[in-house]
Amino acid sequence: MTTTLDPTETTHPTATASSTGSPSASSATLPSSTASVAAARERSAEIEARLATDPSGFRVLTGDRPTGALHLGHYLGTLANRVRLQDDGVEVVLVVADYQVITDRDDPGDLRGTVREVVLDYLAAGIDPARTTIFAHSAVPALNQLLLPFLSLVTTAEIERNPTVKTEAAAAAARHGRPMSGLLFTYPVHQAADILFCHGNLVPGGQDQLPHVEITRTVARRFNQRYAAAQPYFPEPDVLLAPAPTVLGTDGRKMSKSAGNALELRDDEDATARFVRRHRTDSERHVTYEPERRPEVANLLTLGAFAAGMTPEALADEVGAAGAVRLKQVVTEALVEHLRPLRARRRALAAGDGPDPLDVLREGNARANAVADRTLADVRGLMGTAY
Ligand code: TRP
């Protein structure tokens, strides 16, 4: 099986024509206003339609910060969708963003162990390393070198306006009582390097990805204007907005490892039952799907419906008057059933039956390095710094 992340490929048909705008007249870091979210939704629907007929026009780049094994929030939010894109014939490149782990902490823990768990989760969920490239960005020097010219293309004010940089800085301060690191400050530009090193033109994600990808678009556009005016070199990537809602944990807050409210993909069936049992509900007997008014019940319906391959509304109708106890039974059974093959694969892989996750990563690193070396060589050529 050949991968299409091919360093010998010389054309970049996905580069979009350079549009107007100079660094001084930019909307690079506008917060996601309702209008721009609506526009992004419309654009995502168009892209979904094109994906269905011609998946070969797209290269998806996305990934995860390896701070722990992946949980249901990752799975419903993005991992399942990545597997779907891969299986539909879209080229997918996954970055294990290990440098991002040290943006806001002094002790990253056992990074090697965590990275291994994340790769295991990818493989168990159905990511096929023969088609999809998985790499760690610290292992790809040329990708990281792109950060330098890219940093010259944005202003500090533009980075400061990025909502995620703001939130992350506040969160880091609250967690660790520390000021923002330079790496955290520049991470949206680092993400631009993650995306553009392989000419990624599609980034699946939630609304929070919009401002990031806007910075990537700005970097690409300004690079093209400055150094590749005759023929745009970098594509201006789009966000493919995920339909998935935010998955909540047992306590009704957003699921996250640090909140201690998550169900990890590697957890077993007993843990699944406990997770659902501990999950908050409300005192109304009749089960209805009302995400605004009844977020915890809606979350259980979302999880159960996803696992059972139906809509949350239909699941709510099915359970209805039987109430929350029945709902929890149904959700537990659906999750256990749905996750059974994933967990079996994961156990087998972890036990050494199948490829070693770190070998898969090394293979992906090699592919990513070949591509990044070529891109950096092109960039140096275009910038006039090839000696
Ligand atoms: N920040 C992303 C996360 O925590 C991971 C990531 C790194 C990423 N580089 C990226 C996502 C580029 C999309 C595009 O999940």
Side-chain angles (χ1 to χ4, degrees):
M1 180 87 216
T2 57
T3 172
T4 41
L5 185 60
D6 179 358
T8 59
E9 183 195 352
T10 49
T11 53
H12 302 288
T14 54
T16 53
S18 148
S19 56
T20 58
S22 68
S24 54
S26 157
S27 58
T29 50
L30 271 186
S32 338
S33 67
T34 319
S36 62
V37 172
R41 271 200 199 298
E42 214 167 287
R43 179 102 184 105
S44 288
E46 275 166 36
I47 292 169
E48 285 286 0
R50 276 170 55 207
L51 280 170
T53 53
D54 181 23
S56 68
F58 295 94
R59 181 174 287 165
V60 163
L61 184 296
T62 181
D64 296 282
R65 203 158 85 120
T67 52
L70 303 183
H71 52 64
L72 272 186
H74 295 111
Y75 185 59
L76 267 73
T78 115
L79 186 48
N81 195 35
R82 296 173 191 171
V83 174
R84 183 216 23 139
L85 289 165
Q86 165 198 273
D87 292 347
D88 284 353
V90 183
E91 185 186 352
V92 178
V93 184
L94 297 179
V95 57
V96 179
D98 49 356
Y99 269 143
Q100 279 188 4
V101 178
I102 54 168
T103 51
D104 64 353
R105 65 198 76 195
D106 296 324
D107 178 9
D110 172 19
L111 252 183
R112 199 180 147 87
T114 308
V115 167
R116 186 172 183 276
E117 293 297 302
V118 170
V119 176
L120 270 175
D121 285 327
Y122 289 168
L123 300 176
I127 293 294
D128 171 8
R131 286 178 282 168
T132 293
T133 297
I134 306 170
F135 74 98
H137 65 179
S138 73
V140 184
L143 179 160
N144 293 293
Q145 191 173 330
L146 289 174
L147 184 58
L148 297 178
F150 286 2
L151 280 171
S152 76
L153 298 168
V154 290
T155 66
T156 55
E158 284 170 333
I159 300 175
E160 259 157 20
R161 286 202 294 274
N162 183 289
T164 312
V165 168
K166 278 193 209 163
T167 339
E168 287 288 328
R175 264 203 311 278
H176 313 289
R178 58 184 283 174
M180 176 161 51
S181 72
L183 189 60
L184 177 53
F185 185 72
T186 53
Y187 104 84
V189 189
H190 201 178
Q191 288 208 173
D194 294 342
I195 297 167
L196 295 178
F197 96 92
C198 66
H199 293 260
N201 61 356
L202 196 57
V203 181
Q207 289 181 18
D208 55 335
Q209 284 297 328
L210 291 173
H212 285 318
V213 173
E214 205 50 51
I215 290 191
T216 301
R217 293 173 65 88
T218 302
V219 165
R221 190 168 59 244
R222 290 182 188 158
F223 184 92
N224 292 341
Q225 284 167 347
R226 200 171 291 185
Y227 303 112
Q231 199 196 344
Y233 180 68
F234 285 119
E236 289 183 41
D238 282 297
V239 175
L240 186 66
L241 276 180
T246 302
V247 173
L248 309 179
T250 45
D251 56 0
R253 292 189 296 149
K254 183 177 172 180
M255 187 177 286
S256 78
K257 186 184 170 61
S258 55
N261 62 3
L263 180 70
E264 291 184 348
L265 293 175
R266 65 181 176 183
D267 288 339
D268 63 12
E269 298 184 1
D270 289 346
T272 308
R274 271 197 309 278
F275 166 82
V276 176
R277 208 178 319 122
R278 274 172 46 216
H279 197 288
R280 285 198 352 207
T281 51
D282 55 36
S283 55
E284 278 177 57
R285 167 127 195 112
H286 200 98
V287 170
T288 54
Y289 181 65
E290 296 174 79
E292 296 293 325
R293 197 174 68 79
R294 309 181 67 186
E296 288 107 350
V297 169
N299 191 57
L300 282 175
L301 287 165
T302 299
L303 295 174
F306 177 86
M310 61 200 289
T311 67
E313 288 86 353
L315 183 58
D317 284 348
E318 206 174 284
V319 178
V325 173
R326 177 71 192 137
L327 174 63
K328 286 191 168 184
Q329 266 171 4
V330 171
V331 172
T332 303
E333 279 162 25
L335 280 175
V336 163
E337 211 45 55
H338 180 85
L339 293 173
R340 195 191 306 283
L342 184 158
R343 285 170 167 161
R345 267 197 304 275
R346 201 183 192 289
R347 271 195 307 274
L349 287 164
D353 185 0
D356 180 81
L358 289 182
D359 283 343
V360 168
L361 188 69
R362 281 186 282 266
E363 157 76 11
N365 289 342
R367 286 187 214 160
N369 268 303
V371 174
D373 287 347
R374 232 188 60 82
T375 300
L376 182 62
D378 288 347
V379 161
R380 294 179 62 191
L382 289 164
M383 293 177 67
T385 56
Y387 310 111

